[in-house]
């Protein structure tokens, strides 16, 4: 009886493992299928082994939710593998006035290199993109410029590198790298990032720098952390982190927060257990003797 029970338990365990393996393989296959690219038109080249060259006015292609247009496209398989057997491992290179759309995102450049294996499409040559708000009430168009822009087909995320510029209404940013999540309308800037809020009326321009800047583009709120500095007119405020609400014209600076007015020579320091509140519309800073918790969870990226 004991042997029968043991064998039954082992069989059940093996069946469970096989079931889990089947689910894993199915998920992997679904992910691979999502990355398969389809290019329209009649190609030239070796139909069996490739590469195949597509040309048109324009060439059109689809991969997952990405729509691609270009002057020319070349589809290739790894050496020694027929094209039809290489699905999931092929590459597609687009050249000449490349345009990419996905939902509310539109991007363009002079070349796009796509890999089915990685699910990444890398846009080069004066790469730029715009992200339209869902409605006029949802804020401003987000514009991005960069040396290179990588679009991930597994999720609605783009990664831009090289002299990156960000524009969102009166806010403009600069950085070495920008990650933009289209679903959350969240941007992360790293690599000597800075963000400027343009002057308006009597309100002077505000420049914020730190080790990292995160922006909720629809809400117009910012989270800056790491050696933070805010410069507005003659006011310079420093601290460990800041939460800024553009619509309310207020910044909350925490962690060793100090503000100095170079004109009046007035210095305001946050109490040991408190923080500084800076009204950017009034050019006024005050120290508050209570704890302030930055809502950092609102600015979390995928996987954090």
């Amino acid at each position: 009886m004991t042997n029968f029970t043991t064998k039954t338990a082992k069989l059940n365990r093996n069946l469970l493992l096989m079931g889990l393996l089947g689910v894993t393989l199915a998920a992997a296959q679904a992910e691979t299928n999502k990355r398969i690219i389809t290019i329209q038109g009649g190609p030239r080249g070796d139909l069996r082994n490739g590469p195949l060259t597509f040309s048109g006015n324009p060439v059109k292609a689809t991969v997952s939710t990405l729509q691609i247009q270009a002057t020319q496209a070349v589809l290739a398989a790894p050496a020694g593998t027929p094209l039809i057997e290489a699905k999931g491992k092929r590459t597609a290179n687009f050249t000449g006035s490349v345009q990419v759309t996905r939902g509310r995102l539109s991007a363009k450049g002079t070349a796009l290199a796509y890999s089915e294996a990685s699910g990444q499409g890398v846009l080069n040559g004066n790469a730029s993109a715009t992200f339209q708000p869902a409605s006029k009430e949802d804020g401003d168009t987000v514009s991005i410029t960069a040396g290179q822009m990588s679009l991930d087909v597994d999720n609605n995320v783009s990664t831009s590198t090289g002299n990156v510029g960000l524009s969102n209404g009166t806010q403009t940013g600069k950085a070495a790298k920008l990650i933009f999540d289209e679903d959350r309308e969240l941007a992360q800037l790293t690599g000597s990032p800075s963000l400027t809020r343009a002057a308006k009326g009597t309100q002077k321009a505000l420049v914020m720098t730190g080790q990292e800047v995160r922006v909720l583009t629809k809400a117009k709120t910012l989270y800056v952390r790491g050696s933070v500095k805010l410069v507005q007119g003659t006011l310079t405020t420093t601290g460990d982190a800041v939460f800024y609400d553009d619509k309310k014209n207020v910044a909350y600076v925490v962690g060793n927060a100090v503000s100095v007015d170079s004109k009046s020579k007035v210095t305001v320091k946050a109490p040991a257990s408190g923080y500084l509140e800076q009204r950017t519309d009034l050019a006024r800073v005050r120290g508050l003797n209570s704890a302030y918790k930055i809502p950092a969870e609102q600015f979390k990226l995928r996987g954090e």
Side-chain angles (χ1 to χ4, degrees):
M1 185 68 177
T2 301
N3 289 338
F4 176 77
T5 302
T6 302
K7 289 180 179 179
T8 301
K10 287 182 178 180
L11 177 61
N12 290 337
R13 185 172 67 251
N14 289 337
L15 289 173
L16 177 60
L17 291 173
M18 290 175 66
L20 292 174
L21 179 60
V23 171
T24 302
L25 290 174
Q29 185 62 43
E31 195 72 17
T32 300
N33 291 338
K34 186 179 180 181
R35 295 175 176 179
I36 301 300
I37 192 165
T38 301
I39 305 176
Q40 298 179 20
R44 305 187 312 273
D46 186 336
L47 295 178
R48 174 177 170 78
N49 299 307
L52 298 179
T53 300
F54 297 79
S55 57
N57 191 24
V59 174
K60 295 183 179 182
T62 302
V63 54
S64 186
T65 57
L66 283 180
Q67 306 293 323
I68 306 168
Q69 292 188 14
T71 305
Q72 181 175 283
V74 177
L75 182 67
T81 305
L83 272 173
I84 195 169
E85 297 176 12
K87 282 190 175 182
K89 301 177 183 178
R90 302 174 302 180
T91 58
N93 287 282
F94 298 85
T95 53
S97 300
V98 179
Q99 296 184 34
V100 184
T101 58
R102 173 170 61 192
R104 292 185 279 140
L105 181 78
S106 299
K108 61 182 180 179
T110 58
L112 174 71
Y114 176 69
S115 166
E116 290 180 336
S118 67
Q120 296 283 332
V122 181
L123 191 62
N124 285 288
N126 298 317
S128 64
T130 58
F131 182 75
Q132 300 293 338
S135 66
K136 292 182 179 180
E137 293 74 28
D138 283 338
D140 301 292
T141 298
V142 176
S143 299
I144 302 169
T145 57
Q148 179 175 286
M149 188 176 298
S150 179
L151 302 167
D152 194 327
V153 303
D154 295 337
N155 50 54
N156 295 333
V157 174
S158 63
T159 301
S160 301
T161 55
N163 196 27
V164 178
L166 172 72
S167 175
N168 177 30
T170 59
Q171 295 179 358
T172 56
K174 296 179 180 180
K177 181 179 179 180
L178 166 67
I179 296 175
F180 185 65
D181 186 326
E182 298 153 39
D183 295 333
R184 298 204 57 214
E185 302 187 35
L186 170 64
Q188 179 203 37
L189 297 91
T190 54
S192 302
S194 67
L195 196 133
T196 300
R197 203 275 192 194
K200 183 180 179 181
T202 58
Q203 183 174 336
K204 297 183 183 300
L206 172 68
V207 180
M208 288 173 278
T209 58
Q211 294 177 0
E212 178 186 20
V213 175
R214 298 195 183 195
V215 187
L216 285 168
T217 57
K218 178 180 176 180
K220 296 288 178 68
T221 54
L222 287 83
Y223 172 32
V224 188
R225 61 182 178 180
S227 302
V228 170
K229 180 186 286 187
L230 289 75
V231 178
Q232 185 180 31
T234 58
L235 276 176
T236 298
T237 305
T238 58
D240 296 335
V242 61
F243 172 74
Y244 174 64
D245 190 323
D246 199 351
K247 294 179 180 179
K248 295 181 179 179
N249 296 303
V250 62
Y252 303 100
V253 187
V254 301
N256 305 303
V258 179
S259 185
V260 178
D261 189 323
S262 61
K263 183 177 181 180
S264 66
K265 307 302 181 183
V266 173
T267 297
V268 181
K269 292 184 178 181
S273 59
Y275 64 99
L276 292 184
E277 177 194 79
Q278 181 166 332
R279 287 290 303 271
T280 57
D281 55 340
L282 304 175
R284 185 188 70 194
V285 179
R286 61 174 181 162
L288 297 173
N289 193 20
S290 60
Y292 179 81
K293 185 178 184 300
I294 291 177
E297 63 280 356
Q298 296 179 10
F299 297 86
K300 284 187 175 181
L301 295 169
R302 295 173 191 241
E304 288 187 332

